[in-house]
Amino acid sequence: MYRQEINQMIDSLPDEELVKVYWSIETIRQKYLFSKNMHDKGVVILTLLEKEHRIKDLWDSSFAKNISDETKNDIHYNQYKWHIFSYKKQECFEKEAARNGFDAMTKNELYVMYQNLPDIVFEYNNANDIVASDFDYEQDIYLFDKNFTWTYVHTHESMCGPYFYKIV
């Protein structure tokens, strides 16, 4: 039913509007494939709405604790926390080394936050089978263990990241 209606709507649009339709559909498709992949792997995703600010503050105090407020301001940390890695203010693994570091970690329970969703943190349970490539289409996503000992970040910029940082 919907397919026929969608096709009629698409047919009524001029060609120059089809690129917008394409990217809208591609965004929906990628979100669906991501959710399906997590479900197929048995990952249980909970949305945390009451302690999200505390968790984000703990991310800051754990992974950016040695970065001064002045430096954070200089690198636009509030815009993108991952700038601590791209501006080389925090040593970390990058690219394939970051992917390998993340893949090697035990991930039964972890937190996930997005830069562009300031009031939500997700908790992933039964997540041991997830790997870095599962997040290749996600943008500005931060994954970290519940003890705040490591974090993996996939950015929206292909030349930046991914990053993996482990507290030693």
Side-chain angles (χ1 to χ4, degrees):
M1 173 173 108
Y2 288 114
R3 187 175 302 275
Q4 185 177 359
E5 289 180 32
I6 291 169
N7 285 337
Q8 287 175 347
M9 284 187 258
I10 290 171
D11 288 343
S12 72
L13 292 172
D15 285 347
E16 59 270 10
E17 293 297 317
L18 293 181
V19 70
K20 296 175 192 173
V21 174
Y22 172 83
W23 286 112
S24 295
I25 292 171
E26 179 61 11
T27 299
I28 293 167
R29 186 178 82 88
Q30 287 301 329
K31 287 180 181 181
Y32 166 76
L33 291 173
F34 178 78
S35 295
K36 182 180 182 318
N37 182 41
M38 292 295 115
H39 180 266
D40 290 350
K41 290 184 176 201
V43 178
V44 176
I45 302 174
L46 306 172
T47 303
L48 306 178
L49 297 172
E50 294 180 15
K51 56 182 181 175
E52 76 284 355
H53 294 293
R54 185 176 71 79
I55 292 169
K56 289 183 176 206
D57 289 345
L58 284 168
W59 192 97
D60 291 334
S61 64
S62 298
F63 303 117
K65 66 181 171 190
N66 61 328
I67 311 296
S68 71
D69 289 341
E70 182 181 353
T71 298
K72 287 178 183 176
N73 187 50
D74 290 346
I75 65 171
H76 311 286
Y77 178 80
N78 287 334
Q79 183 181 9
Y80 295 110
K81 294 176 184 296
W82 54 262
H83 281 175
I84 63 172
F85 305 120
S86 64
Y87 281 89
K88 311 282 188 213
K89 302 302 178 186
Q90 189 70 278
E91 283 192 40
C92 66
F93 291 109
E94 298 182 43
K95 310 272 183 224
E96 280 307 307
R99 293 171 168 282
N100 294 338
F102 175 73
D103 290 349
M105 300 310 300
T106 300
K107 299 176 285 288
N108 189 45
E109 295 180 324
L110 52 93
Y111 290 127
V112 176
M113 65 183 187
Y114 289 85
Q115 189 78 47
N116 62 352
L117 293 175
D119 297 324
I120 299 174
V121 172
F122 299 96
E123 181 178 316
Y124 283 28
N125 294 303
N126 194 36
N128 277 325
D129 291 337
I130 63 173
V131 293
S133 61
D134 293 333
F135 302 94
D136 285 350
Y137 292 100
E138 298 299 293
Q139 295 187 357
D140 304 318
I141 186 172
Y142 302 75
L143 299 95
F144 46 103
D145 68 312
K146 291 179 93 174
N147 293 323
F148 298 87
T149 61
W150 59 262
T151 187
Y152 176 77
V153 182
H154 191 275
T155 75
H156 69 276
E157 294 187 17
S158 60
M159 65 276 210
C160 295
Y163 304 107
F164 178 78
Y165 173 69
K166 184 175 180 181
I167 297 172
V168 283

